[in-house]
Amino acid sequence: STCSCCGSDRIVKMGEDITETLEVIPRQWKVIQTVREKFTCRACEKITQPPAPFHPIPRGWAGPSLLAMIVFEKYGQHQPLNRQAERYAREGVDLSLSTLADQVGAVAELLKPLHALIEAHVFTAARLHGDDTTVPLLARGGTKTARLWTYVRDDRPFDGTAPPAVVFRFSPDRAGEHPTKHLMGWQGILQADAYAGYNQLYDAARKPGPVASALCWSHARRKFFELADVQTNIRKGKSAKEISPIAVEAVKRIDALFEIERMVNGQTPEARLEMRQRQSAPLVADLEHWLRGERALLSKHAKVAKAIDYLLSPHHWPGFTRFLEDGRICLSNNAAERSLRGVALGRKSWLFAGSERGGHRAAAIYTLIGTA
């Protein structure tokens, strides 16, 4: 109200400066007590009481926000339950590990209807991305290698309007019977790697009909890229002479196909197919002719020969070239690999699945988080 220099009260505001400070308010825990009074009638002797408040888990004590936090911290933020329990204890809330595990199991059971709806949506797609990743499973004397399978519906690359979604499934091993069981009754185009376990799906005698295979050019490119990656090879102490010129040229030619795909991404299937027939088909034909000529001059033990054989195998080449026949097919299976990224990150934190039941719970929750 007065001048800080001379003390005069003849001061007029001429402007202001604003300083912003980012601060955090620590999380607060609270116990909500709902008092429900009982009354008895002196006339008819009937006892009345208001109904109990709703809990997501019957006869439970945890509110929905707390349950959502526990589950998302575990599967979305990759925080194992023991770390959560320690952090909650430091905040003054003592929740045992077994208690938290019970809550996760109850939430997985509670959300089954949502999981079923997502599953029904995904398996009505005409095209799916499929892949799997390892999950250590606790077993007697150590761990064994189990699997999480992913099936992704993403129609956006060909201008589809259906919401993208993903379904995860768990299995104790990688036997081919698992994808056959997962996709029972489904027919369409499966974009996946060249894993032999999918072969039962491609059988012409399959009911309701064979699944069409569309293989991933990123997998094929990776085999050449590892032989053409100059910096990595030098870092490993290999000389420049070990860099395969055939692999370098193959990577350049495959990259040209991906460049065309970037231009058609998000367009209609018809527009994508027209562009591919006009630009990609000649490049693929030239690539095949060139690789077959180079392969005839190579020893079967050459590393680049194995990369060429993977691409040109009679069992694989039709799957690699199917994108030239259908505008809905993508050139790579990266959508499925992206969906598994959270599992790969979480695996470093929670280390293993404690049981098969825990693996199935994880698949159900990953389905919801991955779709969201």
Side-chain angles (χ1 to χ4, degrees):
S1 60
T2 59
C3 176
S4 59
C5 178
C6 68
S8 170
D9 61 356
R10 299 179 60 191
I11 57 174
V12 178
K13 181 177 179 179
M14 59 178 291
E16 64 182 15
D17 293 320
I18 298 176
T19 301
E20 292 186 347
T21 302
L22 181 64
E23 189 54 277
V24 61
I25 300 174
R27 178 167 58 198
Q28 295 180 336
W29 295 78
K30 60 182 179 181
V31 176
I32 301 173
Q33 291 186 335
T34 303
V35 179
R36 300 183 296 125
E37 297 176 315
K38 287 183 180 180
F39 294 91
T40 181
C41 177
R42 294 300 187 187
C44 66
E45 298 187 355
K46 182 179 179 180
I47 298 175
T48 57
Q49 185 181 30
F54 170 78
H55 283 120
I57 299 173
R59 296 180 299 280
W61 47 266
S65 294
L66 174 58
L67 292 173
M69 182 184 72
I70 292 171
V71 173
F72 183 72
E73 284 284 308
K74 178 176 172 61
Y75 296 105
Q77 299 295 94
H78 325 302
Q79 291 296 313
L81 294 180
N82 63 307
R83 293 186 194 171
Q84 292 191 52
E86 292 168 2
R87 190 169 77 246
Y88 301 156
R90 287 195 296 269
E91 297 174 9
V93 179
D94 190 13
L95 298 175
S96 69
L97 185 61
S98 61
T99 298
L100 293 177
D102 289 342
Q103 301 307 304
V104 171
V107 169
E109 186 68 25
L110 177 72
L111 295 174
K112 271 187 176 180
L114 279 179
H115 182 273
L117 286 171
I118 294 173
E119 198 171 69
H121 170 69
V122 168
F123 291 132
T124 55
R127 187 204 63 155
L128 290 178
H129 292 271
D131 204 356
D132 65 282
T133 191
T134 58
V135 175
L137 175 64
L138 192 62
R140 187 173 298 176
T143 60
K144 65 177 184 178
T145 303
R147 293 277 166 173
L148 267 179
W149 306 78
T150 181
Y151 300 99
V152 179
R153 177 177 187 173
D154 190 355
D155 300 345
R156 293 173 295 179
F158 58 87
D159 197 29
T161 57
V166 58
V167 167
F168 285 87
R169 292 288 186 84
F170 174 82
S171 67
D173 52 48
R174 206 193 185 197
E177 65 190 50
H178 300 302
T180 302
K181 181 180 178 182
H182 299 161
L183 299 176
M184 184 180 297
W186 178 80
Q187 186 180 11
I189 302 165
L190 177 64
Q191 297 216 226
D193 54 27
Y195 167 52
Y198 294 122
N199 289 347
Q200 298 178 45
L201 298 169
Y202 310 142
D203 188 351
R206 177 182 180 267
K207 302 296 182 183
V211 170
S213 169
L215 296 182
C216 174
W217 280 85
S218 288
H219 279 78
R221 179 187 181 278
R222 190 176 305 150
K223 295 181 181 298
F224 291 107
F225 185 80
E226 290 171 354
L227 301 173
D229 188 354
V230 177
Q231 293 182 347
T232 301
N233 279 277
I234 292 175
R235 192 165 61 246
K236 292 180 178 178
K238 298 180 180 179
S239 68
K241 294 181 180 179
E242 295 185 53
I243 305 301
S244 169
I246 298 175
V248 173
E249 179 64 21
V251 169
K252 290 180 180 178
R253 290 176 180 242
I254 295 174
D255 283 350
L257 294 175
F258 277 101
E259 191 62 37
I260 296 171
E261 288 302 302
R262 292 187 187 97
M263 292 189 291
V264 300
N265 189 42
Q267 297 186 21
T268 63
E270 295 76 19
R272 286 160 62 90
L273 184 59
E274 189 275 332
M275 176 77 83
R276 287 170 174 175
Q277 288 289 337
R278 184 161 42 86
Q279 296 193 23
S280 300
L283 297 181
V284 172
D286 289 344
L287 175 64
E288 180 188 11
H289 181 266
W290 173 72
L291 284 177
R292 292 194 185 280
E294 295 294 337
R295 179 64 183 88
L297 305 176
L298 293 170
S299 162
K300 67 178 182 179
H301 301 293
K303 292 182 179 179
V304 72
K306 296 178 181 178
I308 295 174
D309 290 343
Y310 174 83
L311 181 61
L312 297 182
S313 164
H315 300 293
H316 296 169
W317 187 246
F320 280 116
T321 57
R322 186 157 279 120
F323 80 102
L324 298 173
E325 306 166 5
D326 194 322
R328 297 171 298 176
I329 297 175
C330 288
L331 201 59
S332 75
N333 194 35
N334 290 346
E337 300 210 2
R338 285 193 299 270
S339 72
L340 292 170
R341 187 176 297 163
V343 179
L345 290 172
R347 196 165 47 209
K348 297 178 181 179
S349 297
W350 40 256
L351 301 180
F352 55 82
S355 64
E356 289 191 28
R357 183 173 62 176
H360 290 297
R361 287 176 182 174
I365 301 300
Y366 276 129
T367 294
L368 291 158
I369 293 177
T371 297

